[in-house]
Amino acid sequence: MRAVLTDAAYGRGPARDGAVNVEYVSANPTGPMHVGHGRGAVFGDALASLLVFTGHAVTREYYINDAGAQVDVLARSAFLRYREALGEVIGDIPEGLYPGDYLKPVGQALASEWGDRLRSKPEAEWLPIVRAKAIAMMMDEIKGDLAALNIHHDVFFSERSLIEDGNNKVAETIDFLRAKGDIYEGRLPPPKGKPVEDYEDREQSLFRATAYGDDVDRPLIKSDGSYTYFASDIANHKSKFDRGFADLIDVFGADHGGYVKRMQAAVKAVTAGKATLDVKIVQLVRLLRNGEPVKMSKRSGDFVTLREVVDEVGRDAVRFMMLYRKNDAVLDFDLAKVIEQSRDNPVFYVQYGHARGHSIFRRAREVVPDLPAEDSARREYLSRGPLERLTEPEELDLLRRLALYPRMLEGAATTHEPHRIAFYLYDLASEFHALWTKGGTELPHLRFISDHDASLTKARLGMVQAVVSVLASGLAILGVHAPDEMR
RNA sequence: GCGCCCGUAGCUCAGCUGGAUAGAGCACCAGACUUCGAAUCUGGGGGUCGGAGGUUCAACUCCUUCCGGGCGCGCCA
């Protein structure tokens, strides 16, 4: 108890060896983020903060998929907007291109930068130019979306940089694996499930993923000679290992579920088993309003953007609610509920607990006039109080809950489950609210502030302070504000 | 067909990595405001933890199998 008060780092873990790399978001730079991306972003960010808090050296990484066919589609879509910006009537966006309005600014930027000089060039010439511009602008947009959630990465790692001329890491990685005997030329059985139209049985370079626990071996080179996404992702993970990370965490969306085994197999092969990869799959988010599914957005083309949601309900609600669920369970996110100020809404409930504590401090000056207003001074002051006078069973229950905090964090960190923090905070707030009300009603001797016993008041304020500190600490890890008042 | 995830109270979900009578919110019923913010709290009813086997002194938790739902399943990322 005294430790909670005196130790500003209560719950922190000891510094540990080894560096952890958390890769999250990694949304394709082809448009604005949607709420599914947002969940992965919040999850990854909170997990990274949790690991930092428990003593790990953490790098937050974003892998930019800027090399595949989808960015060429992006470029062609942007080129259409460019011609539109020059005054052409482009009509409906053709099937296969991105229809969203968000590419209009890219077209306009290209028009003002290049005039009509791109229009007459052959695609081979304009495509790299348009592509680079579009990717840059999309990444700016994504970074803006992330900033609205207070999410920032240490490293933005470009897939394209892996295949640069003269420094082709993908080729290096393939050579590396080939030298180990992990690559062979062979054929794959046709895929099960829904038929693939242009299936063609051919001999190809296959990674021996089955030797490392995967179900089938995986192709690395397409028939046109370019690398598969998987090939560059192996190089991506090898790069992490080469940069000194032995603890790798990937946060993927639900649609990447089938990708886990092959990626873990690849990491095993490429690091000789010296690195571990944990892949956290973040399940879908169902956006609701009062229980009804939310309509699609015009701006994005076909989905509700993350920014629209954040703008509507606020950063704290988005962050907390996305962490108030196990990552591998589908999440219902109700836009109406998360801004309610009631017990239905855990965000509010926990924040209110924190605010209520501060409310008690404000009122307490009538009994303890020299109670410092500043947080660390107040902690220091209260840590010298007669804490041994906290003897009521309800108080001891609360103290036990506080004592659980470090162990809870440790468990959350080792299992990579930040949602445990959110649930713990909810429980702590609940116990605190209950004790508060008891003091106000049926058991007046439990009131935190005793007008005739300044000593006891100090001890109890110490307890309140401990609750406030732990709530603030946990909320900080989740990236949610801990307000002093909420009137 | 295969892989991964989910299945716990009417509804939405926790369950501390096997440990004591399975918890919370909503909803329903009954209560508490001359209170340190009632934006809160107290009590009650309600569950064969999807089914069936197995491992164990002990299973919501681990294994097998079936049922139901979601996601994914060559050179898309």
Side-chain angles (χ1 to χ4, degrees):
Chain A
M1 164 69 199
R2 213 171 285 273
V4 188
L5 293 174
T6 52
D7 185 2
Y10 179 65
R12 274 188 195 275
R16 302 163 206 250
D17 294 337
V20 187
N21 183 295
V22 186
E23 176 187 316
Y24 58 105
V25 188
S26 302
N28 292 342
T30 54
M33 295 176 68
H34 60 248
V35 285
H37 294 133
R39 187 177 183 191
V42 169
F43 176 87
D45 191 60
L47 175 57
S49 297
L50 168 63
L51 291 172
V52 168
F53 195 82
T54 49
H56 301 84
V58 178
T59 294
R60 300 155 191 259
E61 188 149 325
Y62 187 120
Y63 181 60
I64 309 172
N65 300 132
D66 54 1
Q70 89 283 1
V71 287
D72 290 344
V73 173
L74 173 75
R76 292 191 191 98
S77 310
F79 190 71
L80 212 54
R81 295 300 188 181
Y82 160 72
R83 284 164 47 198
E84 182 183 45
L86 289 176
E88 273 186 54
V89 176
I90 57 171
D92 290 339
I93 305 293
E95 187 76 13
L97 294 185
Y98 298 120
D101 289 351
Y102 58 85
L103 285 174
K104 285 183 180 173
V106 179
Q108 280 155 9
L110 286 165
S112 62
E113 192 174 328
W114 290 86
D116 62 357
R117 296 196 304 283
L118 289 177
R119 184 154 50 179
S120 51
K121 290 181 191 291
E123 176 174 303
E125 283 183 40
W126 62 253
L127 191 121
I129 297 168
V130 174
R131 187 174 59 200
K133 184 71 183 172
I135 290 172
M137 287 184 72
M138 288 303 105
M139 282 308 297
D140 281 346
E141 170 131 7
I142 286 170
K143 287 177 189 178
D145 290 348
L146 291 173
L149 280 170
N150 201 20
I151 292 171
H152 304 277
H153 290 78
D154 302 310
V155 175
F156 284 86
F157 196 88
S158 156
E159 178 183 4
R160 189 165 288 278
S161 75
L162 287 169
I163 53 171
E164 277 168 347
D165 292 340
N167 185 30
N168 193 324
K169 296 289 183 195
V170 180
E172 272 179 35
T173 301
I174 290 179
D175 289 345
F176 174 84
L177 287 171
R178 206 182 288 277
K180 289 178 72 218
D182 285 338
I183 294 179
Y184 68 99
E185 302 302 312
R187 289 169 189 282
L188 235 37
K192 303 279 205 261
K194 62 179 174 195
V196 179
E197 285 124 39
D198 57 345
Y199 175 75
E200 159 200 359
D201 190 20
R202 71 175 180 99
E203 190 161 278
Q204 51 191 339
S205 297
L206 297 171
F207 166 59
R208 208 179 289 280
T210 48
Y212 299 93
D214 198 1
D215 304 315
V216 290
D217 295 333
R218 306 288 176 176
L220 299 176
I221 298 174
K222 304 182 200 171
S223 55
D224 67 1
S226 64
Y227 302 113
T228 63
Y229 174 79
F230 181 50
S232 48
D233 217 3
I234 297 175
N236 171 31
H237 284 76
K238 184 169 188 303
S239 150
K240 293 183 195 175
F241 181 66
D242 292 343
R243 283 181 279 146
F245 299 105
D247 262 322
L248 309 181
I249 301 173
D250 288 348
V251 180
F252 288 161
D255 53 343
H256 283 59
Y259 202 67
V260 177
K261 279 190 184 179
R262 82 188 65 168
M263 208 59 251
Q264 286 177 327
V267 166
K268 240 181 259 177
V270 107
T271 68
K274 286 187 201 135
T276 60
L277 169 69
D278 187 17
V279 181
K280 304 299 282 188
I281 297 294
V282 174
Q283 273 296 340
L284 305 177
V285 178
R286 274 198 300 248
L287 209 51
L288 309 172
R289 187 186 304 280
N290 290 316
E292 296 297 316
V294 173
K295 291 277 195 318
M296 301 307 182
S297 152
K298 288 186 226 100
R299 193 180 93 86
S300 61
D302 59 348
F303 50 77
V304 178
T305 66
L306 175 62
R307 185 64 79 94
E308 287 165 339
V309 174
V310 175
D311 286 348
E312 179 172 336
V313 304
R315 172 198 297 176
D316 288 343
V318 171
R319 290 197 60 125
F320 195 96
M321 288 314 293
M322 289 192 163
L323 295 166
Y324 197 65
R325 179 108 325 165
K326 282 183 294 203
N327 59 284
D328 46 16
V330 175
L331 168 67
D332 287 338
F333 190 94
D334 196 310
L335 291 166
K337 230 167 211 164
V338 299
I339 54 172
E340 254 176 47
Q341 300 202 332
S342 73
R343 177 150 203 173
D344 299 23
N345 179 3
V347 194
F348 167 78
Y349 188 73
V350 173
Q351 287 184 322
Y352 179 43
H354 184 266
R356 177 169 261 174
H358 278 274
S359 169
I360 294 167
F361 295 145
R362 287 190 288 272
R363 164 72 171 72
R365 301 228 170 73
E366 294 169 21
V367 178
V368 188
D370 54 344
L371 183 69
E374 195 273 322
D375 191 67
S376 64
R378 188 176 56 243
R379 289 167 85 127
E380 220 283 312
Y381 175 89
L382 291 172
S383 72
R384 295 195 307 269
L387 303 179
E388 65 283 356
R389 294 199 59 190
L390 298 170
T391 55
E392 299 290 340
E394 291 86 350
E395 295 172 341
L396 297 177
D397 285 345
L398 191 55
L399 296 185
R400 264 189 283 276
R401 174 81 62 184
L402 290 167
L404 245 40
Y405 184 58
R407 211 192 313 168
M408 179 281 299
L409 287 178
E410 184 58 37
T414 55
T415 55
H416 301 158
E417 292 183 349
H419 76 274
R420 293 191 193 185
I421 303 171
F423 282 97
Y424 170 86
L425 294 177
Y426 183 86
D427 290 343
L428 177 60
S430 175
E431 231 169 299
F432 179 56
H433 284 310
L435 186 52
W436 187 93
T437 306
K438 262 186 195 159
T441 54
E442 71 259 40
L443 300 170
H445 68 282
L446 286 178
R447 289 171 67 93
F448 298 129
I449 298 173
S450 168
D451 292 324
H452 48 70
D453 190 341
S455 157
L456 181 60
T457 301
K458 274 189 204 176
R460 289 185 172 164
L461 289 177
M463 179 177 63
V464 173
Q465 175 65 59
V467 171
V468 165
S469 296
V470 169
L471 287 176
S473 164
L475 285 173
I477 294 171
L478 302 184
V480 177
H481 290 112
D484 290 355
E485 55 182 327
M486 306 182 73
R487 288 177 192 278

